[in-house]
Coordinates of all heavy atoms in Angstrom, one line a residue:
D16 N 116.9 109.9 115.3 CA 116.7 109.5 113.9 C 116.2 108.1 113.7 O 115.4 107.8 112.9 CB 118.0 109.8 113.1 CG 118.4 111.2 113.0 OD1 117.5 112.1 113.3 OD2 119.5 111.5 112.6
A17 N 116.8 107.2 114.5 CA 116.4 105.8 114.4 C 114.9 105.6 114.9 O 114.2 104.9 114.3 CB 117.3 104.9 115.3
L18 N 114.6 106.4 115.9 CA 113.2 106.3 116.4 C 112.2 106.9 115.3 O 111.2 106.3 115.1 CB 113.0 107.1 117.7 CG 111.6 107.2 118.3 CD1 111.1 105.8 118.6 CD2 111.6 108.1 119.5
H19 N 112.6 107.9 114.6 CA 111.8 108.5 113.5 C 111.6 107.4 112.4 O 110.5 107.3 111.9 CB 112.4 109.7 113.0 CG 112.3 110.9 113.9 ND1 112.9 112.1 113.7 CD2 111.7 111.0 115.1 CE1 112.6 112.9 114.7 NE2 111.9 112.3 115.6
A20 N 112.7 106.7 112.1 CA 112.6 105.7 111.1 C 111.7 104.6 111.5 O 110.9 104.0 110.7 CB 114.0 105.1 110.7
L21 N 111.8 104.2 112.8 CA 110.9 103.1 113.3 C 109.5 103.6 113.3 O 108.6 102.8 112.9 CB 111.4 102.8 114.8 CG 110.6 101.7 115.5 CD1 110.6 100.4 114.7 CD2 111.1 101.6 116.9
R22 N 109.2 104.8 113.7 CA 107.8 105.3 113.6 C 107.3 105.3 112.2 O 106.1 105.0 112.0 CB 107.8 106.7 114.2 CG 108.0 106.7 115.7 CD 107.8 108.1 116.3 NE 106.3 108.4 116.3 CZ 105.8 109.6 116.5 NH1 106.6 110.6 116.7 NH2 104.5 109.7 116.6
R23 N 108.1 105.7 111.2 CA 107.6 105.6 109.8 C 107.3 104.2 109.4 O 106.3 103.9 108.8 CB 108.7 106.2 108.9 CG 108.7 107.7 108.9 CD 109.6 108.3 107.8 NE 111.0 107.9 107.9 CZ 111.9 108.5 108.7 NH1 111.6 109.5 109.4 NH2 113.2 108.0 108.7
T24 N 108.2 103.2 109.8 CA 107.9 101.8 109.5 C 106.7 101.3 110.1 O 105.8 100.7 109.5 CB 109.1 101.0 109.9 OG1 110.3 101.4 109.2 CG2 108.9 99.5 109.6
L25 N 106.5 101.7 111.4 CA 105.3 101.3 112.1 C 104.0 101.9 111.5 O 103.0 101.2 111.4 CB 105.5 101.7 113.6 CG 104.4 101.2 114.6 CD1 104.3 99.7 114.6 CD2 104.7 101.6 116.0
L26 N 104.1 103.1 111.1 CA 102.9 103.8 110.5 C 102.6 103.1 109.2 O 101.4 102.8 108.9 CB 103.2 105.2 110.3 CG 102.1 106.0 109.7 CD1 100.8 106.0 110.5 CD2 102.5 107.5 109.4
T27 N 103.6 102.7 108.4 CA 103.3 102.0 107.2 C 102.6 100.6 107.5 O 101.7 100.2 106.8 CB 104.6 101.7 106.4 OG1 105.2 103.0 106.1 CG2 104.4 100.9 105.1
L28 N 103.1 99.9 108.5 CA 102.5 98.6 108.9 C 101.1 98.8 109.3 O 100.2 98.1 108.9 CB 103.3 98.0 110.0 CG 104.4 97.1 109.7 CD1 105.2 96.7 110.9 CD2 103.9 95.8 109.0
E29 N 100.9 99.8 110.2 CA 99.5 100.1 110.7 C 98.6 100.4 109.5 O 97.5 99.8 109.4 CB 99.6 101.3 111.6 CG 98.2 101.8 112.1 CD 98.3 103.2 112.7 OE1 99.3 103.5 113.4 OE2 97.3 103.9 112.6
R30 N 99.0 101.2 108.6 CA 98.1 101.6 107.4 C 97.9 100.3 106.5 O 96.8 100.1 106.0 CB 98.8 102.7 106.6 CG 98.7 104.0 107.3 CD 99.4 105.1 106.5 NE 99.2 106.4 107.2 CZ 99.9 107.5 106.9 NH1 100.8 107.4 105.9 NH2 99.7 108.6 107.5
T31 N 98.9 99.5 106.3 CA 98.8 98.3 105.5 C 97.8 97.4 106.1 O 96.9 96.8 105.4 CB 100.2 97.7 105.3 OG1 101.1 98.6 104.7 CG2 100.1 96.5 104.4
Y32 N 97.9 97.1 107.4 CA 96.9 96.3 108.1 C 95.5 96.9 108.0 O 94.6 96.2 107.8 CB 97.3 96.0 109.6 CG 98.2 94.8 109.7 CD1 99.6 95.0 109.9 CD2 97.7 93.5 109.7 CE1 100.4 93.9 110.0 CE2 98.6 92.4 109.9 CZ 99.9 92.6 110.0 OH 100.7 91.5 110.2
A33 N 95.4 98.2 108.2 CA 94.1 98.8 108.2 C 93.5 98.7 106.8 O 92.2 98.7 106.7 CB 94.3 100.3 108.6
D34 N 94.3 98.6 105.8 CA 93.8 98.5 104.4 C 93.3 97.1 104.1 O 92.7 96.9 103.0 CB 94.8 99.0 103.4 CG 95.0 100.5 103.4 OD1 94.1 101.2 103.9 OD2 96.0 100.9 102.9
L35 N 93.7 96.1 104.9 CA 93.2 94.7 104.6 C 91.7 94.6 104.7 O 91.1 95.3 105.6 CB 93.9 93.7 105.6 CG 95.4 93.5 105.5 CD1 95.9 92.6 106.6 CD2 95.8 93.0 104.1
D36 N 91.2 93.8 103.9 CA 89.7 93.5 104.0 C 89.5 92.3 104.9 O 89.9 91.1 104.5 CB 89.2 93.2 102.6 CG 87.7 92.9 102.5 OD1 87.1 92.9 103.6 OD2 87.2 92.6 101.4
A37 N 89.0 92.5 106.1 CA 88.8 91.5 107.1 C 87.9 90.3 106.5 O 88.0 89.2 107.0 CB 88.2 92.0 108.3
N38 N 87.1 90.6 105.6 CA 86.1 89.6 105.0 C 86.9 88.6 104.2 O 86.3 87.6 103.8 CB 85.0 90.3 104.2 CG 84.1 91.1 105.1 OD1 83.8 90.7 106.2 ND2 83.8 92.3 104.7
T39 N 88.1 88.9 103.8 CA 88.9 88.0 103.0 C 89.9 87.2 103.8 O 90.7 86.4 103.3 CB 89.7 88.7 101.9 OG1 90.6 89.6 102.5 CG2 88.7 89.5 101.0
L40 N 89.8 87.4 105.1 CA 90.8 86.8 106.1 C 90.1 85.8 107.0 O 88.9 85.8 107.1 CB 91.5 87.9 106.9 CG 92.2 89.0 106.2 CD1 92.6 90.0 107.2 CD2 93.4 88.4 105.4
D41 N 90.9 84.9 107.5 CA 90.5 84.0 108.5 C 91.5 83.9 109.7 O 92.5 84.5 109.5 CB 90.3 82.6 107.9 CG 89.3 81.7 108.6 OD1 88.8 82.1 109.7 OD2 89.1 80.6 108.1
V42 N 91.1 83.3 110.8 CA 92.1 83.2 111.9 C 92.3 81.7 112.2 O 91.4 80.9 111.9 CB 91.6 84.0 113.1 CG1 91.6 85.5 112.9 CG2 90.2 83.5 113.6
D43 N 93.4 81.4 112.9 CA 93.6 80.0 113.3 C 92.8 79.7 114.5 O 92.1 80.6 115.0 CB 95.1 79.8 113.5 CG 95.7 80.7 114.6 OD1 94.9 81.0 115.6 OD2 96.8 81.0 114.6
A44 N 92.9 78.5 114.9 CA 92.1 78.1 116.1 C 92.9 77.8 117.3 O 92.6 77.1 118.2 CB 91.3 76.8 115.7
L45 N 94.1 78.5 117.4 CA 95.1 78.2 118.4 C 94.8 78.9 119.7 O 95.2 78.5 120.8 CB 96.5 78.6 117.9 CG 97.0 77.8 116.8 CD1 98.4 78.3 116.3 CD2 97.0 76.3 117.1
G46 N 94.1 80.0 119.7 CA 93.8 80.8 120.9 C 92.3 80.8 121.2 O 91.5 80.0 120.8
D47 N 91.9 81.9 122.0 CA 90.5 82.1 122.2 C 89.8 82.3 120.9 O 90.3 82.9 120.0 CB 90.4 83.4 123.1 CG 90.9 83.2 124.5 OD1 91.0 82.1 125.0 OD2 91.3 84.2 125.1
P48 N 88.5 81.8 120.9 CA 87.7 82.0 119.7 C 87.6 83.5 119.3 O 87.4 84.4 120.2 CB 86.4 81.4 120.1 CG 86.6 80.5 121.2 CD 87.8 81.1 121.9
T49 N 87.8 83.8 118.1 CA 87.7 85.2 117.6 C 87.4 85.2 116.1 O 87.3 84.1 115.5 CB 89.0 85.9 117.8 OG1 88.9 87.3 117.5 CG2 90.2 85.3 117.0
T50 N 87.2 86.3 115.6 CA 86.9 86.5 114.1 C 88.0 87.3 113.5 O 88.7 88.0 114.2 CB 85.5 87.2 113.9 OG1 85.6 88.5 114.4 CG2 84.4 86.5 114.6
A51 N 88.1 87.2 112.2 CA 89.1 88.0 111.5 C 88.9 89.5 111.7 O 89.9 90.2 112.0 CB 89.1 87.6 110.0
P52 N 87.7 90.0 111.6 CA 87.5 91.4 111.8 C 87.9 91.9 113.2 O 88.6 92.9 113.4 CB 86.0 91.7 111.6 CG 85.6 90.6 110.7 CD 86.4 89.4 111.1
E53 N 87.6 91.1 114.2 CA 88.0 91.4 115.6 C 89.5 91.4 115.8 O 90.1 92.3 116.4 CB 87.4 90.4 116.6 CG 85.9 90.5 116.8 CD 85.3 89.4 117.6 OE1 85.9 88.3 117.7 OE2 84.3 89.6 118.2
T54 N 90.1 90.4 115.2 CA 91.6 90.2 115.3 C 92.3 91.3 114.6 O 93.3 91.9 115.1 CB 92.0 88.8 114.8 OG1 91.3 87.8 115.5 CG2 93.5 88.6 114.9
L55 N 91.8 91.7 113.4 CA 92.4 92.7 112.6 C 92.3 94.1 113.3 O 93.2 94.8 113.4 CB 91.8 92.8 111.2 CG 92.3 93.8 110.2 CD1 93.8 93.6 110.0 CD2 91.6 93.8 108.9
E56 N 91.1 94.3 113.9 CA 90.9 95.6 114.6 C 91.8 95.6 115.8 O 92.4 96.7 116.1 CB 89.5 95.7 115.0 CG 89.2 97.0 115.8 CD 87.7 97.1 116.2 OE1 86.9 96.2 116.0 OE2 87.4 98.1 116.9
S57 N 92.0 94.5 116.5 CA 92.9 94.5 117.7 C 94.3 94.7 117.3 O 95.1 95.4 118.0 CB 92.8 93.2 118.4 OG 91.5 93.1 119.0
A58 N 94.7 94.2 116.1 CA 96.1 94.4 115.6 C 96.3 95.8 115.3 O 97.4 96.4 115.7 CB 96.4 93.5 114.4
V59 N 95.4 96.4 114.6 CA 95.6 97.8 114.2 C 95.6 98.7 115.4 O 96.4 99.7 115.6 CB 94.5 98.3 113.2 CG1 94.5 99.8 113.0 CG2 94.6 97.5 111.9
D60 N 94.7 98.4 116.4 CA 94.7 99.2 117.7 C 96.0 99.1 118.4 O 96.5 100.1 118.9 CB 93.5 98.7 118.6 CG 92.2 99.1 118.1 OD1 92.1 100.0 117.2 OD2 91.2 98.6 118.6
A61 N 96.6 97.9 118.4 CA 97.8 97.7 119.1 C 99.0 98.4 118.4 O 99.8 99.0 119.1 CB 98.2 96.2 119.2
L62 N 99.0 98.4 117.1 CA 100.0 99.2 116.3 C 99.8 100.7 116.6 O 100.8 101.4 116.7 CB 99.9 98.9 114.8 CG 100.3 97.4 114.5 CD1 99.9 97.1 113.0 CD2 101.8 97.2 114.7
R63 N 98.6 101.2 116.7 CA 98.4 102.6 117.0 C 98.9 102.9 118.4 O 99.4 104.0 118.6 CB 96.9 102.9 116.8 CG 96.5 103.0 115.4 CD 95.0 103.5 115.2 NE 94.7 103.5 113.8 CZ 93.6 103.1 113.3 NH1 92.6 102.6 114.1 NH2 93.4 103.1 112.0
A64 N 98.6 102.0 119.3 CA 99.1 102.2 120.7 C 100.6 102.3 120.7 O 101.2 103.1 121.4 CB 98.6 101.1 121.6
A65 N 101.3 101.4 120.0 CA 102.7 101.4 119.9 C 103.2 102.7 119.3 O 104.2 103.3 119.7 CB 103.2 100.2 119.0
Q66 N 102.5 103.2 118.3 CA 102.8 104.5 117.7 C 102.7 105.6 118.7 O 103.5 106.5 118.8 CB 101.8 104.7 116.5 CG 102.2 105.9 115.6 CD 103.4 105.7 114.8 OE1 104.5 106.1 115.3 NE2 103.3 105.1 113.6
D67 N 101.6 105.6 119.5 CA 101.5 106.6 120.6 C 102.6 106.5 121.6 O 103.1 107.6 122.0 CB 100.1 106.4 121.3 CG 98.9 106.7 120.5 OD1 99.1 107.4 119.4 OD2 97.8 106.3 120.8
T68 N 103.0 105.3 122.0 CA 104.1 105.1 122.9 C 105.4 105.7 122.3 O 106.1 106.4 123.0 CB 104.3 103.6 123.3 OG1 103.1 103.2 123.9 CG2 105.4 103.4 124.2
L69 N 105.7 105.4 121.1 CA 106.9 105.9 120.4 C 106.8 107.5 120.3 O 107.8 108.1 120.4 CB 107.1 105.3 119.1 CG 107.4 103.8 119.1 CD1 107.6 103.3 117.7 CD2 108.7 103.6 119.9
G70 N 105.6 108.0 120.2 CA 105.4 109.4 120.1 C 105.8 110.1 121.4 O 106.4 111.2 121.5
I71 N 105.5 109.4 122.5 CA 105.9 109.9 123.9 C 107.4 109.9 124.0 O 108.1 110.8 124.4 CB 105.2 109.1 125.0 CG1 103.7 109.4 125.0 CG2 105.8 109.4 126.3 CD1 102.9 108.4 125.8
A72 N 108.0 108.8 123.5 CA 109.5 108.7 123.6 C 110.1 109.7 122.7 O 111.1 110.3 123.0 CB 109.9 107.3 123.1
D73 N 109.5 110.0 121.5 CA 110.0 111.0 120.6 C 110.0 112.4 121.3 O 111.0 113.2 121.2 CB 109.2 111.0 119.4 CG 109.8 111.8 118.2 OD1 111.0 112.2 118.3 OD2 109.1 112.0 117.2
A74 N 108.9 112.7 122.0 CA 108.8 114.0 122.7 C 109.8 114.1 123.8 O 110.5 115.1 124.0 CB 107.4 114.2 123.3
D75 N 110.1 113.0 124.5 CA 111.1 113.0 125.5 C 112.5 113.2 125.0 O 113.3 113.9 125.5 CB 111.1 111.6 126.3 CG 109.8 111.5 127.2 OD1 109.2 112.5 127.5 OD2 109.5 110.4 127.6
L76 N 112.7 112.6 123.8 CA 114.0 112.8 123.2 C 114.2 114.2 122.7 O 115.3 114.8 122.7 CB 114.2 111.8 122.0 CG 114.6 110.4 122.4 CD1 114.5 109.5 121.2 CD2 116.0 110.3 123.0
D77 N 113.1 114.9 122.3 CA 113.2 116.3 121.9 C 113.6 117.1 123.1 O 114.4 118.0 123.0 CB 111.9 116.8 121.3 CG 111.6 116.3 119.9 OD1 112.6 115.9 119.2 OD2 110.5 116.4 119.5
V78 N 113.1 116.8 124.3 CA 113.4 117.5 125.5 C 114.9 117.3 125.8 O 115.7 118.2 126.1 CB 112.5 117.1 126.7 CG1 113.1 117.7 128.0 CG2 111.1 117.6 126.4

Side-chain angles (χ1 to χ4, degrees):
D16 291 347
L18 178 62
H19 289 172
L21 179 58
R22 289 186 74 193
R23 284 190 298 275
T24 300
L25 187 56
L26 181 60
T27 298
L28 271 172
E29 176 192 326
R30 288 177 176 168
T31 302
Y32 271 100
D34 286 344
L35 292 176
D36 180 359
N38 296 316
T39 65
L40 303 174
D41 205 353
V42 293
D43 62 32
L45 298 177
D47 293 334
T49 187
T50 65
E53 291 172 335
T54 302
L55 182 58
E56 182 180 0
S57 293
V59 172
D60 288 348
L62 291 168
R63 285 186 184 135
Q66 190 68 269
D67 291 344
T68 300
L69 292 180
I71 293 167
D73 194 11
D75 290 340
L76 283 172
D77 283 344
V78 171

